[in-house]
Amino acid sequence: MTRVRMTRLGMFFCIAVLAASTHAPAFAAGAIAVGAINGVGVNGVAVGLAENEKTGAAANSYAMHQCQVAKDAKASVRALCHLVGSYTNKCGSVAIDPNARAPGFGWAVASSSTSASRRALAKCKATAGAGAANCVVAATSCDGRAR
């Protein structure tokens, strides 16, 4: 199983990737959990991603846990973590504007990493407004046979 965690807070942008193993995926359940308050640029956001878990429940649990323990996110943001996407044989992507105090943030689930990334960037740009050109894909994870 490969597990990914991404968090952002105010002026700091940090991505941590945790790899439990590098073997071919035997499972295909993934999930995304997000905690955010209006004013993402000021308050930050917490995100948990899970992929290739044995069951949907395991993926949901892992994504929620990663969101709730995001070290760089405020406690008030972590307390708002909730599942925003569960998937099988798909990809999840998170896009964010890494600039200080920027409001851009988006996530998406799609059948390919390219499509998930494109959709996450579109959501980020929609929330970023005038600074939309700064949105970047921060993390993408695919489970099962998805690529």
Side-chain angles (χ1 to χ4, degrees), residues 129-144:
N134 298 317
C135 288
V136 296
V137 174
T140 298
S141 68
C142 296
D143 68 358

Side-chain angles (χ1 to χ4, degrees), residues 17-83:
V17 178
L18 306 173
S21 72
T22 58
H23 67 280
F27 308 111
I32 301 175
V34 173
I37 298 174
N38 287 342
V40 169
V42 174
N43 295 303
V45 62
V47 176
L49 292 171
E51 66 181 25
N52 294 322
E53 294 291 340
K54 291 181 183 180
T55 66
N60 293 348
S61 177
Y62 184 79
M64 279 295 294
H65 174 74
Q66 290 305 306
C67 186
Q68 292 168 339
V69 300
K71 293 178 183 176
D72 295 330
K74 294 178 181 179
S76 58
V77 172
R78 293 190 313 262
L80 296 174
C81 288
H82 63 283
L83 289 168

